[in-house]
Amino acid sequence: MATPSAAVDPQPTGLRERKKLRTRGALVDAANRLFLEQGYGKTTVDEIAAAVEVSQRTFFRYFANKEEVALAVLADAEETFLELLRARPADEYPLEAMRGAARQVWQLLDQGRVADRGSVNGALELFELIESTPTLLAAHLRHTLQQEVEVTRVLAEREGLDPAVDLRPRLLAAVFGTVIRLSHLTFATEREHHRQGVDGMLELMERHFDQLGPALAGSWR
């Protein structure tokens, strides 16, 4: 997984680090292309390595297995989100800070600045692949639970709370993750938003967040 600084800034200062990042990126690109072309189950680590003209041993320097490379883009986006959330203004309310950080992630992704990876539509194609592949979906959901723990920790630190006593950071982290996933699923089914690119994704995300308060606390009648 990329470090937070590398996730936001795709140009590390050292030549060796830039070369390593290029190799990692090439492996992710090749893996995602092969997964989308022939399916996750039919794609082998050897094929991914061969597409980049590196050895299997080199592949395993960057990724523990095929599952990890398939989830790499989303993992990098999540790492970037945590860094951006930590950097949000201290006077923002928790949900406001999370919405702002999520918007920034998609904007950076659209600019190719999340671990130097591709487009919004490319990321959503990958999300659709994960949702339709039981092995990947199970791994992604496990990772999502780990991400909630990290988000909970960041929110508690921002607000000066003990998450073992105050349940609000954990509850908000869980609800936030669900809203983001629903936004992804809606984007995948509403093709009109695909043509709008990042603007379509952000519009959907804001629409879901605007409904969060009424859904949780307001009357539905």
Side-chain angles (χ1 to χ4, degrees):
M1 181 182 297
T3 61
S5 59
V8 175
D9 182 1
Q11 297 297 329
T13 55
L15 177 62
R16 183 178 180 183
E17 289 303 311
R18 291 200 299 272
K19 183 177 179 181
K20 287 172 63 177
L21 188 60
R22 284 196 298 270
T23 300
R24 182 184 184 277
L27 286 167
V28 172
D29 285 343
N32 290 343
R33 176 176 54 79
L34 289 168
F35 294 152
L36 293 172
E37 287 176 357
Q38 61 191 34
Y40 175 78
K42 295 182 179 179
T43 301
T44 67
V45 168
D46 285 339
E47 287 177 311
I48 298 169
V52 185
E53 299 183 337
V54 299
S55 66
Q56 185 188 85
R57 182 178 179 181
T58 297
F59 174 93
F60 286 119
R61 287 199 197 108
Y62 292 89
F63 301 102
N65 47 46
K66 190 173 68 169
E67 178 183 288
E68 189 173 299
V69 72
L71 299 176
V73 172
L74 294 183
D76 290 340
E78 290 166 353
E79 198 72 30
T80 302
F81 170 78
L82 286 172
E83 180 180 346
L84 294 171
L85 180 59
R86 292 186 185 99
R88 295 297 300 181
D91 60 350
E92 286 185 338
Y93 291 148
L95 183 57
E96 180 185 3
M98 296 175 82
R99 290 176 71 162
R103 284 194 299 270
Q104 286 179 281
V105 169
W106 280 105
Q107 289 162 349
L108 289 171
L109 181 63
D110 190 50
Q111 298 164 14
R113 293 176 58 201
V114 174
D116 203 23
R117 304 272 51 84
S119 67
V120 170
N121 284 342
L124 268 296
E125 283 182 349
L126 178 61
F127 184 80
E128 291 179 57
L129 172 71
I130 291 170
E131 287 286 325
S132 63
T133 307
T135 301
L136 287 180
L137 180 58
H140 179 56
L141 292 177
R142 287 197 305 271
H143 186 78
T144 298
L145 292 176
Q146 296 170 357
Q147 176 77 358
E148 284 182 12
V149 172
E150 294 302 317
V151 173
T152 297
R153 184 176 294 117
V154 173
L155 291 175
E157 289 173 354
R158 281 178 54 91
E159 299 300 315
L161 301 174
D162 180 356
V165 177
D166 195 316
L167 297 180
R168 288 175 295 178
R170 187 174 182 182
L171 287 171
L172 182 56
V175 171
F176 182 85
T178 300
V179 172
I180 292 295
R181 184 164 182 258
L182 287 175
S183 299
H184 293 172
L185 290 171
T186 304
F187 189 93
T189 57
E190 294 187 7
R191 297 296 171 180
E192 175 186 345
H193 288 89
H194 282 223
R195 293 191 292 272
Q196 301 174 33
V198 69
D199 291 335
M201 183 65 232
L202 292 176
E203 178 187 335
L204 273 175
M205 192 172 67
E206 295 296 344
R207 185 200 307 172
H208 281 83
F209 279 124
D210 287 342
Q211 292 298 312
L212 182 57
L216 293 178
S219 172
W220 290 13
R221 296 183 181 181

